[in-house]
Structures are given as structure tokens and as C-alpha cells.
Amino acid sequence: MPELPEVETTRRGLAPHVCGREITGVVVRDGRLRWPVPENLCDLVEGQCIAALERRGKYLLMRLGEGSLIAHLGMSGSLRIVDGDSPPRKHDHVDILLQTGACIRFHDPRRFGCLLWTAEEPDRHELLRELGPEPLQPEFSGAHLYAVSRGRTAPVKNFIMDSRVVVGVGNIYANEALFRCGIHPLRSAGRISARRYGALAESIRQTLADSIAQGGTTLRDFVDAAGNPGYFRQVLQVYGRTGEACTRCGCPICGERVGQRSTYYCPRCQK
DNA sequence: ACTGGCTCCTGAGGGC
DNA sequence: TGCCCTCAGGAGCCAG
């Protein structure tokens, strides 16, 4: 699933192939993504140079001479660098052709992703405007989590998956980060101490950083810019491990649904 | 201001 | 072998 580490892995893989290159064309085979790919996308970006490839939360931002492309991988999307002549496979919805002969290929079986263009500063775009801090930047801290959680009754797991609280924490990493710091996923967000939020912030940071170092988590679909899977799956401690022994205490891992999401935790280690 | 539920989509996997 | 059902999930949207 593309969460922050997968998007960052993609960004790092793409950057050396795309930065400073000119876009020579766009091929839209199927523009029916979460929001339709703009009809005139080719006109908007053709001939422009890619100045930088950035990430904000789970959004990839491709800054052009004029305007920016905003991409989201949804839950099954990937962006790969392939030869511009290579034949498209099923669900290869969009190609962005580069002057080098390579192309950036957007593949997304479930079509929950998007590919948009904006003339304005991307941070002011309506999809990005309300986003919370980046978990790997210094402005994200336990103090921030503590401050914005006061009075909130929702489970802490839902709370940290809210992109207005902190960006990039999806279901897999929410489960893993809570296990790592020993907080029960169902505990009310407003009833956790400042001290424990300090541990949670550090836990989120570590979990995401570790996953980036492993190239992200591949459950089914995710591949990086070169088409390789990520290896963080092999070190998941609770996600998908219902009934298996906790790596810390040996107690069987619990799995249940919380707010439409599969939730995993150790009933002994997490309080 | 929050919270929970619904929704989009496709492919995998299980049961029979 | 094949069909049908359920599930997975990011995040916008809406109603309460």
C-alpha cells in the first residue's frame, strides 16, 4: 500500500531520471482515476521542464516551469520509469514521455489514485491546504499530538491516521507505530498523556524511517520506480499477524476491525 | 468541532 | 473448472 514510505521511495527512485528533463508528451489511456485526469493535460505540460520532484504527505509534486503536477497513488498505484517504447500492460493508465526516450508510467489497478495539474502553489491546492505536519520534520512532535488531541474521544489509531493531524500515516504504519510504543489502538486520543505522545511521535518517526530504509512495504501491488518491491513487510510486528505470537511477550496478536479498518495489537504489551 | 459510516475500484482468495 | 461472495484500503464527503 502506498503510504508515506512508499511515496518517498518512489520519489527517490524517479528523481534522478526526471529532474531537469523536458516533457515531450502525455498519453492518457484511461483518465478515469479518483478524479478525471485533465482532458488537456498534454497541452498543459508538453515542452515544460521538470524543475523538482517533491513529496507532501502521500502526494507527489512535480514542479514544472509553469504549474505543478500532483499525483497520488491511492492504494494500488505505482509510478515507474520505463522505456517509452515498452508496450503498456493492463492498468497502465498514463505515460508522461520525456526527452530522454524514457517515460513515467502511472499504473493503478484500483484507480483510487489521481493525476492533476495546478497553476497555483501546490501547498495552496485544496487537497493539500489542510494537511498536518510532516512526520519526519522537526515541527512534528509529541507536544503537537498532545495539543491537538485534547477533548478528542476517537481512538488514537483513527486520530493519527487523520491527515490534518499528521500526514502519511496509513493503516499499516498506524498499527506498527502503536505497537512500538505500547499504546492500545482503541484508547481515546484525548486520554493519553503528553509523555506517552512523546513516545508515539518518536515511534511514528522511527517506523516510517525504517520502512523507507527498506524500500517500503509491498503487500501486493507496490513497486518502486524501478519496478522492485519493498522489504518492510518482513519486519512487520503486528500488521496481518492475527493469532501469531507477539515478538515481545509471545501473547497471540489480536485482530479486529476499528472504523472500517483492520486493526492489530498485542493485548498484553499495548495499554 | 468531531465522529462514524459510506463510497469509489479491482483482484485475490475462499467456499461450494 | 468456475462462479459468487467478501475483503482490502486512502481519503473525500456527508449526516448526525
Side-chain angles (χ1 to χ4, degrees):
Chain A
M1 306 306 150
E3 297 186 30
L4 186 150
E6 291 72 36
V7 179
E8 179 61 18
T9 296
T10 299
R11 189 195 69 77
R12 292 181 184 184
L14 287 178
H17 300 276
V18 309
C19 289
R21 312 291 188 203
E22 185 188 318
I23 296 175
T24 54
V26 175
V27 177
V28 180
R29 292 185 202 84
D30 186 347
R32 297 172 302 155
L33 300 182
R34 168 134 206 205
W35 296 283
V37 176
E39 297 275 346
N40 59 342
L41 185 63
C42 191
D43 299 334
L44 290 167
V45 306
E46 190 175 358
Q48 293 212 60
C49 220
I50 300 170
L53 188 62
E54 300 171 0
R55 178 187 58 73
R56 176 74 176 102
K58 299 176 191 172
Y59 292 93
L60 268 178
L61 310 175
M62 198 178 291
R63 291 187 182 269
L64 308 176
E66 190 180 329
S68 298
L69 282 168
I70 299 177
H72 195 291
L73 301 177
M75 62 165 287
S76 62
S78 61
L79 282 167
R80 294 178 61 178
I81 288 288
V82 300
D83 192 285
D85 296 331
S86 71
R89 299 165 305 159
K90 199 175 179 185
H91 307 304
D92 282 344
H93 304 313
V94 183
D95 282 355
I96 298 171
L97 305 167
L98 304 177
Q99 112 226 37
T100 54
C103 93
I104 307 167
R105 186 160 279 176
F106 189 107
H107 174 89
D108 188 5
R110 292 178 206 176
R111 296 197 274 114
F112 279 16
C114 69
L115 185 62
L116 301 170
W117 182 85
T118 180
E120 62 191 341
E121 171 59 34
D123 280 346
R124 285 204 279 274
H125 189 276
E126 58 178 2
L127 288 174
L128 309 191
R129 203 185 300 150
E130 308 279 331
L131 294 180
E134 286 287 331
L136 299 178
Q137 296 298 315
E139 62 266 26
F140 173 67
S141 65
H144 164 74
L145 290 178
Y146 181 75
V148 297
S149 64
R150 293 309 87 190
R152 306 224 1 197
T153 58
V156 62
K157 176 163 176 272
N158 301 30
F159 174 71
I160 59 172
M161 290 176 67
D162 182 341
S163 63
R164 290 164 300 186
V165 172
V166 56
V167 295
V169 182
N171 197 40
I172 296 173
Y173 299 114
N175 281 299
E176 294 298 311
L178 287 165
F179 173 77
R180 198 187 268 243
C181 65
I183 297 176
H184 197 289
L186 291 174
R187 179 171 287 276
S188 281
R191 304 202 50 177
I192 293 174
S193 68
R195 190 187 139 99
R196 297 192 87 196
Y197 269 124
L200 177 55
E202 189 52 33
S203 179
I204 289 171
R205 200 191 296 278
Q206 278 296 325
T207 302
L208 296 176
D210 286 356
S211 182
I212 292 171
Q214 296 291 319
T217 302
T218 296
L219 293 184
R220 186 179 299 155
D221 303 292
F222 176 73
V223 290
D224 68 13
N228 304 307
Y231 297 100
F232 193 69
R233 180 181 190 170
Q234 295 163 18
V235 293
L236 294 176
Q237 310 221 54
V238 287
Y239 185 86
R241 297 189 66 238
T242 304
E244 294 178 37
C246 169
T247 53
R248 227 175 259 163
C249 76
C251 188
I253 298 298
C254 288
E256 63 183 272
R257 293 190 72 76
V258 177
Q260 282 65 38
R261 292 285 175 273
S262 44
T263 299
Y264 306 93
Y265 60 93
C266 171
R268 193 183 298 168
C269 294
Q270 295 177 254
K271 300 293 177 194

